[in-house]
Amino acid sequence: MNSALAFVFGLAGGSYINALVWRLYRGKNTVWARSECVQCGHKLAARDLIPVFSFLALGSKCRYCHKKISWQYPAVELASGLGLYWLALNFQPDLFIWLAGIFLITVFIFVYDLKYLLIPNGAVFLGVVWTLSGLWYFGGDFLTSALAAALMFSFFFLPYYLSKGKWMGGGDAKLGLFLGLWLGWPLVLEALLLAYVLGMVIGLALVVCERATFKSKVPFGPFLIAG
């Protein structure tokens, strides 16, 4: 896979992820609706939708209402582009396609959970189906992956069930199922440990900076994905 082309596809994928996150939460058409400014609702022209470049060319402001555009948009686009670029450099085309799909799905879940403290069932279902298709195509170890998925699901579902959602969200259990299926054993354990370390460090930093308290709700999905 050409790495430069993969970077361009990644930028486009990140741009769509931004739109999808905003539309899905508001119940808008996620396929055919035209992109619009989230501040004023003005329909955006093609020149306003060039990943990263449009943000920079417009000075991070909407062309029509001149209100600030969130840095989320170029950040997600650039992260997606760089992610696919790295995958293209390190994997053969068929494996690249599979891993690129998983990567973009996790980027979507990362952003959605970070913004809304929710993990859409559809994204997890797509991730599970896509992962299973790759395991079948590449002859992966279904048993090891299934055991890792069951372990991750149980690890998060038990505190969710016992606390009735106060300690842990149900979305984390579903995300654990998807990531456990993909990573298998023992990588899933390493991801879990890294997630808790990241969560602890960033959580304490937010408390010290008075951006959160020990009682604040913090989405765990982004830490699990990062791990």
Side-chain angles (χ1 to χ4, degrees), residues 123-139:
V124 175
F125 177 76
L126 179 60
V128 168
V129 171
W130 186 254
T131 300
L132 287 173
S133 67
L135 290 174
W136 170 79
Y137 180 82
F138 294 106

Side-chain angles (χ1 to χ4, degrees), residues 132-180:
L132 287 173
S133 67
L135 290 174
W136 170 79
Y137 180 82
F138 294 106
D141 188 341
F142 276 95
L143 179 59
T144 301
S145 293
L147 288 174
L151 175 66
M152 284 288 277
F153 178 81
S154 302
F155 183 84
F156 291 111
F157 181 77
L158 188 59
Y160 165 74
Y161 178 78
L162 292 176
S163 68
K164 297 181 180 180
K166 294 180 180 179
W167 300 341
M168 186 69 66
D172 295 319
K174 292 177 286 187
L175 178 60
L177 178 69
F178 161 39
L179 295 181

